[in-house]
Amino acid sequence: MKNPVWGRLLSVATWIVALIFFAPVAWMVLTSFKQETDAASSPPSFFFEPTLDQYRVIFASDAGPYFMNSVIATASSTVLVLILAIPAAYALSIRPVKRTQDALFFFISTKMLPVVAVIMPIYVIAGQIRMLDNIATLIILYTAMNLPIAVWMMRSFFLEVPGEVLEAASLDGASLLGTMRRVLIPMVAPGIAATSLICVIFAWNEFFFALNLTAANAATAPIFLMSTMTSEGLYLAQLSAASVLASLPVVLAGWFAQKQLVRGLSMGAVK
Amino acid sequence: MTTTQNPPAAVAGEAHTTTKPTAPEKSRVRSDRAEAWRRRAPLMPALIFLIIVTQVPFLLTIWYSLRSRNLLRPEGEQFVGLSNYGDIFLDSTFRQAALNSVLITFGCVIVAMLLGLGLALLLDRKFFGRGIVRTLLITPFLIMPVAGALLWSISMFNPTYGLVNWLIGLVGISPVDWTSEYPMFSVIVALVWQWTPFMMLLLLAGLQSQARDALEAASVDGASAWQTFRYITLPHLRFYLELSVLLGAIYVVNTFDHIYLMTAGGPGTASANLPFYIYQRAFLGFDIGQSAAMGVVTVIATIALALLALRLIFKSINAKEQS
């Protein structure tokens, strides 16, 4: 370890491994700037005249509504999650209810229920109340999907708020809502941002519900990706451009919030 | 909406109890109860919402699993007891799907964990461009899973213009039709690629939470790098290893996107896992009774895994609260 040559070799090895891992992503981005003939060439073409044609095709296509649906489903469900999760996390941390552990257990156990075990009744119910192919259905389901993670995450942030701050607020005679709005929420604002990030990632990437419960009206970006592959035969460069566009929001968000990612993925257990 | 209504209601309840000072015993009981409800009120909307959206459908799934119902055979549905369960255990495709689920979950989680551990150890040093390397390494996890699955099945594994065949062609191996000849392997490779960053992130957090003075003391005492790893780092990492494996398993056992897009469970049903097979039976076979029974069996099988993971998470939460 102390040997500088050994250390430098190790650093080079790390870089090489990282580049290998990143290569498929790089290849996807590269392909998105190709013409279709270059994209499906054998052997693969590394040198070509880059073009923005594929992105133009995507922007001119019917991709707009799909991405708009994704934005609506992701944003609405994230807001709904926060509205439900922040008070719940408060009731499980700062002024805890009896049987807090049971409530926590219930929340997280729903996260471990395989989605496939509930899809059929959800499909039948949604059909009966005419909510199939309706973006509201996705919003409700994405809210339920992310709510347990958000409750756990927000709770772990609330537990970090020093007790004196809350005592001072309650001595001032501030009401529950007042305490939350003026004292607590500003203190856990970074936590709210981190929680939102996790909710956005999972909602944006969700495929199973969107596949089974939407059709022409409410389909989201992952469905658009799949449809570019199946409807018009294979246009690899175009598919790559669509993949880049569909992945970009979450990739950027994740890059900028790597630490929060760990906390969210482990439901607050790892900080 | 209910969140804004509940707290005032609870406050009103308190006011009510304090106006009856003549019966102190009763009043104390009531104010205790009011206090309990005031604490509970902010929790209720989330709790009720989640019970309705997750537990009600699951109860319906159990109900469906006890009835025969096939949307293609409208002669009616009836209570059939446990016969759907009997049928699925006689169904060899179901057994294979269950086995595939186990293979995919364990194969992916173990390989991703080992790779993630290696990468975490490499990253737990100071070197040039460490932030960039970390950013590159987590990217596969952030790519939309649908995009990742299509990327692997087409750009990487395509028999004629895929990158993998070109690479093995450089060392003289003839082209392979990966997703048809080795469907399970192909799916696991794509999943490992996606989940290794997850493992790496958790394990790196574990490595960086090590007490530096213990490591320094070890090196002052002349411990070798291996001894330090074996006797100090590994015991410390144990919690993080268990956590990453269990959480990873819970996420991976539900894999659907990759199977659906890379192999469609095929060839035949060679690479169908439980979520995919249940989906197939429900949405393509319209056999609601049997697919519900399979769903219930999947939940029961997942519970053992989930309980282990939960116990671990609770242990860490309690340890933190007591510290």
Side-chain angles (χ1 to χ4, degrees):
Chain A
M1 276 303 190
K2 296 274 177 278
N3 186 341
V5 179
W6 174 237
R8 209 163 295 163
L9 272 177
L10 222 50
S11 304
V12 172
T14 313
W15 264 98
I16 292 172
V17 176
L19 290 174
I20 292 173
F21 250 82
F22 190 72
V25 179
W27 188 249
M28 176 174 91
V29 175
L30 207 64
T31 310
S32 75
F33 291 108
K34 289 179 180 174
Q35 299 288 0
E36 293 297 347
T37 46
D38 292 323
S41 70
S42 173
S45 49
F46 290 90
F47 303 101
F48 56 91
E49 207 176 306
T51 169
L52 284 173
D53 281 3
Q54 308 310 334
Y55 289 94
R56 282 194 203 100
V57 171
I58 301 286
F59 280 113
S61 76
D62 56 351
Y66 291 92
F67 279 83
M68 202 58 217
N69 283 335
S70 271
V71 170
I72 294 170
T74 303
S76 313
S77 67
T78 302
V79 170
L80 214 54
V81 165
L82 292 177
I83 290 174
L84 291 170
I86 292 174
Y90 175 89
L92 296 173
S93 56
I94 289 172
R95 304 193 67 193
V97 297
K98 283 177 198 160
R99 303 178 62 191
T100 290
Q101 297 273 316
D102 291 344
L104 280 170
F105 183 89
F106 169 72
F107 275 110
I108 203 137
S109 68
T110 66
K111 197 63 208 149
M112 304 192 173
L113 183 75
V115 183
V116 72
V118 291
I119 187 66
M120 210 63 226
I122 288 174
Y123 180 83
V124 172
I125 295 171
Q128 275 165 357
I129 58 175
R130 304 196 170 279
M131 291 270 284
L132 281 177
D133 199 15
N134 187 330
I135 199 74
T137 308
L138 286 189
I139 293 171
I140 291 169
L141 291 171
Y142 292 177
T143 304
M145 172 178 91
N146 285 329
L147 189 54
I149 306 179
V151 169
W152 275 67
M153 265 185 98
M154 282 313 303
R155 178 175 183 266
S156 80
F157 283 105
F158 276 143
L159 287 175
E160 285 171 4
V161 175
E164 306 90 69
V165 177
L166 298 164
E167 273 164 35
S170 71
L171 284 181
D172 289 349
S175 68
L176 174 78
L177 279 177
T179 314
M180 275 194 111
R181 203 165 40 226
R182 283 197 301 274
V183 184
L184 267 182
I185 301 292
M187 287 195 78
V188 295
I192 295 176
T195 307
S196 312
L197 172 91
I198 294 294
C199 296
V200 165
I201 291 180
F202 282 119
W204 183 264
N205 285 344
E206 205 284 331
F207 177 63
F208 188 67
F209 284 133
L211 174 73
N212 288 313
L213 301 172
T214 70
N217 288 324
T220 52
I223 304 295
F224 173 74
L225 273 192
M226 187 187 70
S227 71
T228 57
M229 183 186 75
T230 47
S231 65
E232 314 146 42
L234 181 60
Y235 291 100
L236 184 52
Q238 198 180 315
L239 171 65
S240 301
S243 298
V244 170
L245 287 175
S247 300
L248 205 58
V250 163
V251 169
L252 289 179
W255 279 356
F256 286 113
Q258 297 183 15
K259 215 177 161 191
Q260 283 79 354
L261 207 59
V262 182
R263 192 159 175 167
L265 292 171
S266 64
M267 325 230 179
V270 173
K271 282 171 192 160
Chain B
M1 288 304 114
T2 41
T3 42
T4 51
Q5 284 162 6
N6 274 331
V11 171
E14 182 195 41
H16 179 68
T17 51
T18 48
T19 52
K20 288 200 172 180
T22 43
E25 267 309 297
K26 239 182 192 173
S27 152
R28 200 169 54 83
V29 171
R30 277 205 200 162
S31 75
D32 277 358
R33 205 173 291 162
E35 168 66 17
W37 271 107
R38 202 170 48 215
R39 284 175 179 238
R40 222 171 281 155
L43 177 67
M44 292 326 260
L47 202 59
I48 294 168
F49 177 84
L50 213 57
I51 288 172
I52 293 174
V53 181
T54 66
Q55 303 306 293
V56 171
F58 183 58
L59 289 176
L60 276 173
T61 300
I62 296 177
W63 172 245
Y64 288 166
S65 76
L66 301 173
R67 300 174 74 81
S68 99
R69 185 172 181 199
N70 189 319
L71 296 182
L72 294 180
R73 284 185 274 117
E75 66 265 15
E77 56 171 294
Q78 49 183 329
F79 188 78
V80 293
L82 295 174
S83 85
N84 281 326
Y85 291 89
D87 289 347
I88 60 170
F89 282 108
L90 294 174
D91 176 356
S92 64
T93 315
F94 173 76
R95 291 202 305 267
Q96 174 166 23
L99 180 67
N100 284 348
S101 270
V102 172
L103 285 176
I104 290 173
T105 306
F106 281 91
C108 167
V109 166
I110 289 168
V111 176
M113 190 267 279
L114 291 174
L115 284 173
L117 177 61
L119 290 171
L121 287 169
L122 283 174
L123 277 185
D124 190 31
R125 311 162 44 244
K126 285 202 171 69
F127 63 92
F128 174 72
R130 180 171 148 190
I132 301 171
V133 165
R134 187 171 127 133
T135 304
L136 292 178
L137 280 171
I138 64 164
T139 309
F141 188 74
L142 299 169
I143 296 287
M144 182 179 278
V146 169
L150 292 174
L151 173 66
W152 276 96
S153 76
I154 301 170
S155 296
M156 297 293 128
F157 282 142
N158 183 286
T160 45
Y161 52 80
L163 218 49
V164 173
N165 274 352
W166 171 74
L167 271 175
I168 63 170
L170 293 181
V171 291
I173 303 171
S174 51
V176 178
D177 189 353
W178 292 97
T179 50
S180 348
E181 284 176 55
Y182 306 102
M184 290 282 284
F185 176 79
S186 307
V187 167
I188 291 175
V189 168
L191 284 171
V192 165
W193 181 72
Q194 193 198 322
W195 286 97
T196 298
F198 169 85
M199 302 289 177
M200 181 199 80
L201 277 175
L202 257 64
L203 296 175
L204 187 58
L207 285 174
Q208 292 179 339
S209 69
Q210 277 188 111
R212 291 289 145 186
D213 39 348
L215 297 178
E216 271 161 33
S219 87
V220 169
D221 290 348
S224 71
W226 167 251
Q227 283 172 323
T228 312
F229 176 75
R230 173 69 187 79
Y231 295 105
I232 299 181
T233 305
L234 212 52
H236 169 82
L237 265 193
R238 193 183 142 184
F239 163 75
Y240 294 88
L241 285 167
E242 288 174 350
L243 187 73
S244 60
V245 164
L246 287 167
L247 284 178
I250 283 163
Y251 286 116
V252 175
V253 82
N254 281 315
T255 294
F256 174 82
D257 308 9
H258 286 74
I259 313 274
Y260 181 83
L261 293 162
M262 290 181 72
T263 66
T269 51
S271 63
N273 67 349
L274 283 177
F276 183 80
Y277 185 54
I278 296 172
Y279 157 84
Q280 235 181 359
R281 290 300 291 271
F283 286 95
L284 306 174
F286 299 107
D287 196 331
I288 293 181
Q290 286 202 9
S291 64
M294 290 188 235
V296 173
V297 171
T298 309
V299 169
I300 293 169
T302 318
I303 282 175
L305 207 63
L307 283 179
L308 272 175
L310 280 176
R311 191 173 298 169
L312 204 63
I313 295 175
F314 267 92
K315 210 169 95 187
S316 93
I317 298 278
N318 286 335
K320 255 167 213 151
E321 273 164 25
Q322 276 154 18
S323 66

